[in-house]
Amino acid sequence: MRETAFAEERRLMTESQIRARGVRDPAVLAAMAKVPRHMFVPEGLRHQAYADEPLPIGEGQTISQPYIVAYMTEALALKGGERVLEVGTGSGYQTAVLAEVAGTVFTIEIVEKLALRARAALDALGYSNVHYRIGDGAAGWADEAPFDAITVTAAAGRMPEKLEAQLAVGGRMIVPVGTDAQELVLVRRGKTGIRRDSLLAVRFVPLV
């Protein structure tokens, strides 16, 4: 019975928090309506799983607000089949959304406890197109580069050039940049260089 209630909460979240704010990509909307966010938050917070806010997941980290997850995923302009690098597995929720939309996800988490918990949740849900690494995500995953898309789920103090270098031509990266004042930046690698566009002000935990 509770799963039915969660499904209705997820539907309402997708309509009122995400579609209503302008997210239009059908694959992203479908992923947000499908992925059980309550499976990625601590059990004591599951009643808040579909609230319009980030939630603590332990180790000083958070699961991002659903709208931000959808917004960042849509900004990557995924069409299906892409190789995506995620820096900061965290709860694994963004990983699951990416796994629904892209082809293969390579995800890195520096906090081992979070990495193992996220993998357990993702394995339980049957995601077989995710590859995991415990380590420093700021260095990227050079032996699997280049990537069609990269998403960074914590704020970098400055633009992470090592990650930019791992973008394929035509690829996109979405990354929060800054310390006190942060902005979400979309990076695009073209044949002749890099373009960076600031999208909106955000508040993320710092990239460790």
Side-chain angles (χ1 to χ4, degrees), residues 80-101:
E82 295 91 351
R83 290 162 47 86
V84 179
L85 173 65
E86 178 189 38
V87 176
T89 313
S91 69
Y93 178 61
Q94 172 78 82
T95 319
V97 172
L98 290 169
E100 290 285 343
V101 180

Side-chain angles (χ1 to χ4, degrees), residues 57-151:
I57 57 170
E59 313 303 315
Q61 303 300 303
T62 60
I63 180 173
S64 293
Q65 175 189 16
Y67 168 69
I68 290 295
V69 171
Y71 182 92
M72 291 176 68
T73 305
E74 184 175 58
L76 296 175
L78 302 170
K79 303 301 181 187
E82 295 91 351
R83 290 162 47 86
V84 179
L85 173 65
E86 178 189 38
V87 176
T89 313
S91 69
Y93 178 61
Q94 172 78 82
T95 319
V97 172
L98 290 169
E100 290 285 343
V101 180
T104 308
V105 180
F106 298 82
T107 186
I108 308 174
E109 173 57 56
I110 198 168
V111 181
E112 183 175 9
K113 186 175 181 180
L114 291 180
L116 296 176
R117 187 190 303 156
R119 181 166 189 170
L122 289 157
D123 285 349
L125 291 169
Y127 289 103
S128 59
N129 60 334
V130 180
H131 301 272
Y132 304 87
R133 174 175 283 183
I134 297 171
D136 180 9
W141 198 324
D143 51 349
E144 291 290 351
F147 298 98
D148 301 305
I150 299 174
T151 184

Side-chain angles (χ1 to χ4, degrees), residues 10 32 46 54 63 66 71 97 105 107 115-116 119-120 132 143 153 157 161-163 166 170 174 184-185 195 198:
R10 196 158 56 247
M32 299 302 293
R46 287 188 175 177
I63 180 173
Y71 182 92
V97 172
V105 180
T107 186
L116 296 176
R119 181 166 189 170
Y132 304 87
D143 51 349
T153 63
E161 294 181 1
K162 287 184 178 180
L163 296 180
Q166 292 180 26
I174 189 85
L184 201 58
V185 178
R195 174 177 171 177
S198 178

Side-chain angles (χ1 to χ4, degrees), residues 6-21 29 31-35 37 49-52 65-67 70 93 97:
F6 279 138
E8 177 61 11
E9 289 177 37
R10 196 158 56 247
R11 185 190 69 79
L12 291 172
M13 173 200 76
T14 304
E15 292 303 315
S16 64
Q17 298 177 33
I18 297 166
R19 190 193 299 272
R21 286 187 176 130
L29 291 169
M32 299 302 293
K34 177 182 178 181
V35 176
R37 190 171 188 254
Y50 298 99
D52 187 19
Q65 175 189 16
Y67 168 69
Y93 178 61
V97 172

